[in-house]
Amino acid sequence: MADDGSARLAIDGGRPVRTEYLIFGKPDIREEEIREVEATIRSGWLGTGPRVAAFEKAFCEYVGSRYAMALNSCTAGLHLSMIAIGVKPGDEVITCPMTFASTANVITHLGATPVFADCDRETLCIDAERASEKMTQRTRALLPVHFAGRTADMTALQALARDRKLRIVEDAAHAIEAAHQGRKIGSISDCTVFSFYVTKNVITGEGGMVSTDDPQIADWIKVAGLHGLSRDAWKRYSDEGFRHYEVTFPGFKYNMTDMQAALGIHQLARVEANLKRRDEIWRRYTEGLSDLPLRIPPEPAQGDRHARHLFIILLDLDQLRISRDQVLQALHAEGIGTGVHYRALHLHPYYRERYGYGEGDFPNAEWVGERTLSLPLSPGLSNRDVEDVILAVRKVLCSALV
Ligand SMILES: *Cc1c(COP(=O)(O)O)cnc(C)c1O
């Protein structure tokens, strides 16, 4: 460890590991995406159209669901899924505080209550046993998150749901490629919701998708995502001739556009190749960092497939003189961008004030939230980039040993 521990940190005026900043979550965009976007613009069909339909079809095939509905975000998909499975004001939905805000925000949008159940310290996913302790007469649904690309224990959660006649919506924003016990994520629950936000594994700039096998849910989400207009109203100005639409209920403006789908079609075609590249980077990080005062979440159970979305390190703060935020700042000065996924959601002001959550309520999520740091993991990283990240993390942590 001594080799790089002696160099002066950039944050203290030393030479940074990189002069060209490595941003976290750099998107991997290739010529084929650029050409497809250009063709979309030239076609004049910028809104929801044939490219969205093609992307939905390819996505269904990839995840093995009967239906897939493209939307303008995962958040929109979570919102519509909650309505589609019948969540109503006063209901409770059990989810995990170790997640992005929108997972729980959508529950509050319906006047329902997000009931948090702590995560497991190893998997960082919801602990099914704790979830079962949170059940009441009002519990309507479970909303697990496949954290960092590792699947939540769907076997246990499905057993819980079956016993109590609950619905399940999966937040699979991190988990497009994942599988649980040989079953592809996207083909398991009532609804599974994916994100194509710029830092995710498949990107469309902004975008999301809901997959389901239920024709009624599929139909409803399709209509609800476009103002509640009668089916296929997006074709109303096409060469099939003008047609009247009917408003069947007041829906939302959540549709995906062909501009976005143009990116998605080619991104999805490379999804497995990109996973393979991230898998290589993952193994190199594991090798290069394993002797440092940090913990890397363990490999998934046999039969599960990890989507390798976030490479997370959990700092051993007892062995370091500096906090996670100071490590983050020091890495920034070395030219390395990182992410924090996440500070525990129940500690954010809205959740404290509205639901009375506070410190100590979910010790595992809080423990993770204080020491977690995500390293760059884009398939577009060069081997040199990866070595720079390892060098910078080693340099910063070795200089901060107690
Ligand atoms: C990114 C993300 C979302 C939201 O996705 P958008 O497409 O930005 O709406 C939801 N949940 C998790 C866990 C996420 O990481």
Side-chain angles (χ1 to χ4, degrees), residues 249-319:
F249 61 93
F252 301 87
K253 177 66 176 177
Y254 281 171
N255 55 308
M256 179 180 276
T257 68
D258 270 26
M259 298 274 282
Q260 294 163 308
L263 294 170
I265 289 165
H266 294 283
Q267 287 272 310
L268 189 61
R270 287 206 308 279
V271 67
E272 287 294 314
N274 285 348
L275 174 61
K276 201 157 161 257
R277 173 61 184 149
R278 292 197 309 279
D279 214 42
E280 281 170 17
I281 299 170
W282 194 284
R283 267 181 279 141
R284 181 63 199 118
Y285 278 160
T286 304
E287 241 168 51
L289 302 171
S290 61
D291 59 332
L292 294 173
L294 54 82
R295 190 149 118 194
I296 296 164
E299 285 299 292
Q302 270 254 305
D304 288 357
R305 187 184 202 216
H306 199 301
R308 306 296 193 210
H309 176 56
L310 296 171
F311 189 90
I312 279 176
I313 56 176
L314 297 163
L315 300 173
D316 184 349
L317 297 178
D318 292 340
Q319 287 192 58

Side-chain angles (χ1 to χ4, degrees), residues 366-388:
E366 292 167 28
W367 182 86
V368 174
E370 274 169 25
R371 64 202 70 225
T372 188
L373 194 67
S374 307
L375 304 181
L377 188 64
S378 161
L381 297 181
S382 67
N383 288 343
R384 180 65 206 273
D385 294 335
V386 173
E387 295 309 315
D388 284 347

Side-chain angles (χ1 to χ4, degrees), residues 158-177:
Q158 280 192 309
L160 284 182
R162 215 175 300 119
D163 291 348
R164 307 287 292 254
K165 299 201 177 0
L166 306 178
R167 312 298 294 266
I168 299 182
V169 171
E170 295 168 54
D171 181 337
H174 299 176
I176 292 176
E177 306 87 340

